Amino acid sequence: MKIVRLKPKRDYPTRQGHPWIFSGAVDTVSREPENGETVQVVSADGTPLGLGAYSPHSQIRVRMWTFGSGSTPVDEAFFADRAARACSLREGFCERFRTDAWRVVNAEADGLPGVTVDRYGDVLVGQFTTAGAARNRDVIVKSLTEATGCAAFYERSDTDGRAHEGLEKTVGTLVGPEPPDRIPIHEGDTAFEVDVRGGHKTGFYLDQRENRRLVALYAKGADLLNAFSYTGGFGVAALRAGAASVTHVDLSASALALAERNTALNVPDGGGKSAFLQGNVFSVLREFRDRARSFGFVVLDPPKFAETRVQTMKALRGYKDINLLGIKLVVRGGYLATFSCSGAIDPKLFRTVVTEAAHDAGREVVVLHELRQAPDHTESLRFPEGLYLKGLLCRVM
Ligand code: SAH
């Protein structure tokens, strides 16, 4: 096996079980490994540290599959074991959370860097975002279909990040029949339809499942603004729970069309209480402000404004603007649920942004719940970068 030797004193994170090795920590590479090839990583003094996937095009040069000197080979048995572990971590999940859709593999946190797989009913939908994940795709797919008993696997590796890994985007059916246009799923008593072929990511924001429930708990009787609504998630859950009205705002016409369908699925006369506005949230919210419109509940769930740390400053301005506008629209005593899914912005920084927005809006904001990604989007203590979704559910006085 080809060997990646680290520079002196650069092996600490790897010894601690952190899966990323940046190019700056690499001293020498014995023969040039292929894209995604499994390599042996050793410290400067030659101590074996484990096996990882080599990414020659990426700043993250190696992503570790295994740790320690007696590492098992990265073969079919290894991936079968990882698949079994991911499934056992989520045992009982579907009964406990009353759902038939959940994240089956959450990349690094499940010991499978670059592998994200969601389950919608009996269909698995996966993204292989790194060279190592792509190279081992077929054996990973086999392990997961066997471990879950799912009859279909659809690939949605159309992520922008693939370019940094020297990979083309690719989508299509890998196992079983082509998925239908819309797959029905359930979260408790709420039903949704998911477009796994045309939707964002793998089709649905499963990471917000528990937060949708929490928002619904406070939404009764409120006029709710669902900003960045996508296919309606928060608003539909709120309407089902007795919200007086829901205003969905999103740029995407197809997402709003599905939000309309999801509304009809859950609340027969829900269409009459719902508005579906196609537009830019920043300008729609300004318009609402200028027309002195207000809401009992405002949900702000924007897309990732920061892809990298470098973009963080610009992203912070975006989060501040949107929160300032959002807070101003909340009636006194009403609610705000605000989120950031940028991994580069940690919970403390996000809190600071919301604090500044509240200050500028001249409103007292009281935090009721600190929010995060749903527990099937596992977070490993070894990999703090894996906590990407954070939010606050607040009372705005
Ligand atoms: N809250 C959703 C997920 C939101 S994802 C859920 O729980 O399912 C972010 C959404 O924001 C996407 O649907 C995207 O189309 C939309 N979007 C991105 N930028 C936008 C903008 N400036 N104005 C309106 N919508 C935007």
Side-chain angles (χ1 to χ4, degrees):
M1 204 178 309
K2 293 167 189 170
I3 292 174
V4 170
R5 184 182 297 267
L6 303 188
K7 290 178 182 162
K9 302 206 180 90
R10 297 299 291 270
D11 56 357
Y12 181 76
T14 317
R15 287 184 188 278
Q16 295 301 306
H18 193 284
W20 290 353
I21 296 174
F22 287 91
S23 58
V26 172
D27 190 3
T28 59
V29 182
S30 74
R31 297 168 292 149
E32 196 53 28
E34 287 173 24
N35 205 16
E37 187 176 338
T38 301
V39 293
Q40 166 84 65
V41 177
V42 302
S43 65
D45 66 8
T47 310
L49 299 174
L51 306 180
Y54 192 72
S55 280
H57 307 284
S58 170
Q59 283 303 313
I60 306 176
R61 193 54 46 90
V62 181
R63 290 180 180 80
M64 300 302 286
W65 293 121
T66 65
F67 294 93
S69 53
S71 293
T72 51
V74 178
D75 55 10
E76 199 166 331
F78 164 79
F79 287 112
D81 183 66
R82 284 287 197 266
R85 200 179 81 176
C87 289
S88 84
L89 247 168
R90 293 155 175 88
E91 218 163 76
F93 186 88
C94 95
E95 294 80 20
R96 195 171 297 127
F97 292 92
R98 294 204 296 135
T99 188
D100 47 10
W102 66 93
R103 177 147 297 187
V104 175
V105 175
N106 194 35
E108 277 82 352
D110 283 303
L112 291 170
V115 184
T116 300
V117 181
D118 290 333
R119 175 176 183 157
Y120 300 102
D122 285 330
V123 179
L124 297 176
V125 184
Q127 298 181 307
F128 299 87
T129 58
T130 61
R135 192 178 169 98
N136 292 284
R137 181 192 71 180
D138 293 348
V139 57
I140 295 170
V141 167
K142 182 168 180 277
S143 305
L144 284 168
T145 45
E146 283 175 8
T148 58
C150 285
F153 196 114
Y154 188 76
E155 178 172 25
R156 278 294 306 272
S157 298
D158 48 348
T159 53
D160 292 335
R162 296 251 306 185
H164 301 298
E165 295 280 326
L167 302 167
E168 306 270 313
K169 293 182 180 180
T170 166
V171 296
T173 300
L174 299 178
V175 177
E178 175 99 346
D181 286 348
R182 290 180 302 273
I183 301 180
I185 63 155
H186 302 85
E187 292 185 351
D189 299 326
T190 312
F192 293 104
E193 287 185 347
V194 180
D195 174 5
V196 302
R197 285 184 286 160
H200 291 166
K201 305 206 287 184
T202 67
F204 198 63
Y205 289 86
L206 295 170
D207 52 1
Q208 291 285 25
R209 181 192 314 105
E210 305 321 308
N211 301 329
R212 279 190 276 274
R213 268 181 235 253
L214 210 49
V215 162
L217 279 182
Y218 290 92
K220 196 166 180 194
D223 292 310
L224 183 139
L225 171 62
N226 190 19
F228 307 97
S229 66
Y230 188 51
T231 56
F234 283 106
V236 170
L239 201 61
R240 230 201 123 83
S245 75
V246 176
T247 304
H248 302 270
V249 185
D250 203 283
L251 278 176
S252 158
S254 58
L256 287 168
L258 200 41
E260 207 164 343
R261 249 190 103 82
N262 284 330
T263 301
L265 269 179
N266 289 281
V267 188
D269 60 344
K273 297 178 190 159
S274 304
F276 304 89
L277 304 184
Q278 188 185 2
N280 185 333
V281 166
F282 288 86
S283 31
V284 172
L285 265 55
R286 276 196 193 95
E287 246 173 71
F288 285 163
R289 178 198 61 195
D290 295 345
R291 287 197 270 127
R293 259 198 86 166
S294 59
F295 295 86
F297 205 137
V298 171
V299 178
L300 303 171
D301 184 24
K304 215 193 264 185
F305 287 153
E307 293 287 343
T308 62
R309 282 191 192 278
V310 184
Q311 295 166 358
T312 304
M313 279 317 290
K314 194 165 160 249
L316 288 177
R317 217 167 310 130
Y319 285 117
K320 163 95 182 281
D321 282 354
I322 207 72
N323 278 281
L324 174 56
L325 283 164
I327 289 169
K328 283 185 174 168
L329 294 181
V330 182
V331 296
R332 279 198 195 281
Y335 296 91
L336 169 78
T338 178
F339 298 93
S340 161
C341 59
S342 301
I345 291 171
D346 68 24
K348 200 165 154 236
L349 187 53
F350 181 60
R351 227 173 217 268
T352 307
V353 172
V354 181
T355 305
E356 284 178 9
H359 178 263
D360 289 7
R363 304 288 293 275
E364 169 77 13
V365 173
V366 179
V367 176
L368 304 181
H369 299 273
E370 183 130 29
L371 309 174
R372 40 163 296 132
Q373 64 220 40
D376 44 326
H377 295 60
T378 39
E379 183 202 347
S380 165
L381 288 178
R382 289 176 178 196
F383 184 64
E385 294 86 344
L387 173 63
Y388 64 97
L389 178 63
K390 65 239 86 132
L392 298 169
L393 174 51
C394 309
R395 196 88 194 256
V396 181
M397 309 310 286

